[in-house]
Amino acid sequence: MITDKMKTKLDDTFLWTLYQKYGMVSTDSVQDNMNRALEKEIRERHAKSFEGVCAPQKITPPGKNSKRPLWQTYVLKDGKLTRIQRTDKETFFACLADLYLDNFKEKKTPSLKMFWEQYFSDRTASNVSPRTVSKDVDMWKKYIKDDPFWDQPVDVFSKRDVQRWFDQLLSSKQVRDKEFSTIRMILKALFELAIDQKYINENPASDVQSKRKTKKARGNTDPHRFFTEDEYFQLKDYFWNYFHDSDDSHALAVLFSMGLALRSGELAALRWEDISTINGRTMIYVHRHEVPCYVAIDSNETKRCGFEVVDHCKANSDRWLELDEELLYILDLQKELGHDNSGYIFGNGERMTSRQLSWQYEKACGALGIETRRNHTMRRTVASLLFDHGVNPVYIQHLLGHETLAMTYEYIGRVMPEALDRAKASAVLSRHQKSPKISVA
């Protein structure tokens, strides 16, 4: 059954594997044993070729009383069933051997890295945003792609191995909480692909925990996450003066954002048509968002080519916000500038971008001699100022466009001097009379 052509494709290691697999090691008839082992392997590969496609097609030997005895079966070619017939067994199985030739040598288990292209393809085909895919690629390149640990066959990893790798990663590099979560998500997904293709039976990354400290995000007590109350009003004065000196629409945009705590992308996407009068109140509908635009994203690189506006806000946080007198005054000044901006509210002739907004903060902080912080810091500052002055947290949640109140509380920190808080606390706790002295009989 083994033809000369087949012999050139087989090696001793593979044949020895077949002997072990089917228990046919015998010195009496090596050729017979080899033929039986190969036949069993071909039948097994033939059956597996139909998995997930259709019912397996049987290999049918010639009938006893057939006028034209034929060995026959059906195989998959280009997604279609194609019949194979041969008059003798040797040429029939040799034909199947040629068909499954790539699988004849002992199939090497791929490394985990071999599943990255499929993961990336699935990820980009889903509803995941390009920005999220870009972050996945960054984490892949930074922590996984060049690490020789993941060059090992995918079936050698135990849960302890994967956990140990994470422990070493966290002890040697400053990995943030979000980065840890993304890396874990990628590895779990890659192992799941290996499970789907039957290389492994369980996911060794399923129970990975952060047993060592990750680099935590700055807490609510970190002053770098906020402008102080004094800095807030210094910035406000700076932008008003800057506008009156320059007629720069971007200064008005910052002032508008300081009054509504908008995200940079939301501010850049506001249009005049979003303003309406509802029950005598002037409202603005925040329902667009500027996002990065990518000219190309492949499995090893992402290239950003600017920004574009999408018709929804981050986390579907579309909302109506009421405009007070100062905000209406800012809009009137913007109208007087006469810029078209293609229907967008802010810009000096064309739509302002979130990057231009950040540059305004960088320039102002430098001029005032305060630490450089940007619009996201201003969102936290506005939330904290409102909370310190007794505004209902539920309203602050709506203003910021948060899904949960818990997220809003994470934005609230100290922006007023600590002495004021101590004075308030003392006033609350000491306003009751001292407890009367209790006489003991």
Side-chain angles (χ1 to χ4, degrees):
M1 180 180 132
I2 300 180
T3 64
D4 291 337
K5 181 179 178 181
M6 291 168 63
K7 287 179 180 178
T8 64
K9 301 294 184 179
L10 305 176
D11 56 27
D12 294 339
T13 302
F14 172 70
L15 295 174
W16 175 250
T17 302
L18 290 184
Y19 294 154
Q20 290 180 312
K21 182 175 182 180
Y22 298 109
M24 294 180 176
V25 178
S26 171
T27 58
D28 295 337
S29 181
V30 174
Q31 187 68 43
D32 289 344
N33 286 332
M34 186 184 296
N35 286 339
R36 286 200 298 272
L38 282 173
E39 181 181 333
K40 280 182 173 289
E41 182 68 13
I42 291 171
R43 288 180 180 274
E44 183 178 303
R45 300 286 182 179
H46 177 67
K48 284 185 176 180
S49 69
F50 298 96
E51 288 182 355
V53 181
C54 62
Q57 301 298 305
K58 294 182 179 180
I59 293 176
T60 307
K64 291 181 179 181
N65 301 319
S66 175
K67 294 182 179 180
R68 189 186 175 201
L70 291 172
W71 284 82
Q72 63 179 353
T73 189
Y74 286 86
V75 298
L76 282 170
K77 285 187 177 181
D78 301 324
K80 297 180 180 179
L81 289 174
T82 302
R83 185 168 61 181
I84 290 182
Q85 294 179 325
R86 296 293 184 273
T87 56
D88 63 279
K89 183 176 182 179
E90 181 177 330
T91 56
F92 174 76
F93 277 97
C95 181
L96 291 182
D98 284 342
L99 180 65
Y100 303 121
L101 203 53
D102 290 340
N103 293 329
F104 247 69
K105 288 191 175 182
E106 181 62 13
K107 190 174 183 182
K108 291 184 178 179
T109 304
S111 70
L112 192 71
K113 294 179 182 180
M114 298 300 293
F115 297 94
W116 166 253
E117 293 292 340
Q118 183 178 345
Y119 167 84
F120 176 80
S121 177
D122 294 345
R123 197 81 162 141
T124 52
S126 65
N127 292 327
V128 178
S129 71
R131 185 175 183 180
T132 300
V133 176
S134 174
K135 289 180 179 179
D136 288 355
V137 174
D138 290 343
M139 293 299 100
W140 162 255
K141 292 169 59 179
K142 186 175 181 180
Y143 296 112
I144 304 173
K145 180 183 176 183
D146 297 323
D147 192 330
F149 179 77
W150 300 111
D151 289 329
Q152 303 177 77
V154 70
D155 59 354
V156 306
F157 297 107
S158 66
K159 290 186 177 182
R160 178 180 292 182
D161 294 332
V162 177
Q163 182 65 63
R164 187 182 295 117
W165 181 84
F166 270 100
D167 292 342
Q168 292 174 350
L169 177 70
L170 297 180
S171 64
S172 62
K173 297 183 179 180
Q174 291 292 315
V175 180
R176 295 184 180 276
D177 279 342
K178 288 185 177 180
E179 289 181 329
F180 174 84
S181 298
T182 302
I183 298 166
R184 180 173 57 184
M185 181 269 295
I186 292 173
L187 290 176
K188 287 174 67 175
L190 294 177
F191 278 117
E192 284 298 325
L193 291 174
I195 291 173
D196 291 343
Q197 297 182 33
K198 296 181 171 51
Y199 288 106
I200 56 177
N201 295 320
E202 61 177 356
N203 194 324
S206 59
D207 298 323
V208 169
Q209 301 295 326
S210 176
K211 294 184 178 180
R212 296 176 183 266
K213 289 185 177 180
T214 55
K215 189 175 180 181
K216 299 291 184 182
R218 291 172 172 176
N220 290 9
T221 58
D222 190 332
H224 300 287
R225 301 184 81 201
F226 308 92
F227 293 108
T228 66
E229 186 175 26
D230 288 341
E231 289 172 341
Y232 173 86
F233 288 108
Q234 286 179 45
L235 286 166
K236 202 165 188 180
D237 291 341
Y238 170 88
F239 285 114
W240 274 119
N241 292 330
Y242 178 65
F243 169 72
H244 290 304
D245 292 340
S246 64
D247 284 342
D248 190 336
S249 169
H250 297 167
L252 291 177
V254 177
L255 290 166
F256 195 83
S257 180
M258 292 175 72
L260 288 179
L262 296 174
R263 299 180 178 97
S264 299
E266 293 172 344
L267 180 71
L270 291 177
R271 297 179 64 88
W272 289 108
E273 64 199 52
D274 299 331
I275 301 172
S276 299
T277 300
I278 302 175
N279 296 328
R281 300 183 300 166
T282 304
M283 313 282 286
I284 190 164
Y285 185 35
V286 183
H287 64 114
R288 297 186 191 87
H289 188 59
E290 181 194 73
V291 297
C293 181
Y294 296 89
V295 66
I297 302 180
D298 60 38
S299 57
N300 290 304
E301 187 177 8
T302 59
K303 296 179 181 178
R304 184 182 294 184
C305 65
F307 298 90
E308 62 182 351
V309 174
V310 294
D311 291 328
H312 60 82
C313 289
K314 184 178 180 181
N316 298 314
S317 55
D318 302 357
R319 58 203 184 278
W320 284 95
L321 299 176
E322 186 172 0
L323 303 178
D324 60 23
E325 291 184 3
E326 183 178 35
L327 296 174
L328 291 173
Y329 177 56
I330 291 172
L331 294 177
D332 288 339
L333 292 174
Q334 179 63 39
K335 285 182 181 178
E336 291 175 7
L337 293 177
H339 299 311
D340 177 68
N341 303 328
S342 300
Y344 291 96
I345 294 178
F346 295 108
N348 290 316
E350 57 183 30
R351 182 181 68 82
M352 182 196 71
T353 66
S354 56
R355 181 65 191 95
Q356 290 171 322
L357 179 68
S358 295
W359 166 237
Q360 292 298 318
Y361 278 105
E362 293 165 13
K363 187 167 56 175
C365 290
L368 295 173
I370 62 179
E371 181 184 348
T372 301
R373 283 154 288 176
R374 299 171 182 81
N375 189 68
H376 197 68
T377 303
M378 184 56 69
R379 277 169 55 82
R380 295 179 181 277
T381 302
V382 171
S384 302
L385 279 172
L386 295 177
F387 183 80
D388 285 344
H389 287 83
V391 175
N392 192 319
V394 175
Y395 172 76
I396 301 174
Q397 176 191 352
H398 173 70
L399 190 69
L400 297 177
H402 285 163
E403 287 187 281
T404 65
L405 194 57
M407 185 181 296
T408 301
Y409 276 116
E410 290 181 3
Y411 272 53
I412 295 171
R414 180 185 302 284
V415 296
M416 299 178 67
E418 185 179 354
L420 292 178
D421 283 340
R422 286 201 303 268
K424 286 182 180 179
S426 177
V428 171
L429 299 176
S430 64
R431 65 184 178 184
H432 296 289
Q433 293 183 352
K434 294 181 179 180
S435 299
K437 187 175 182 179
I438 300 176
S439 59
V440 180

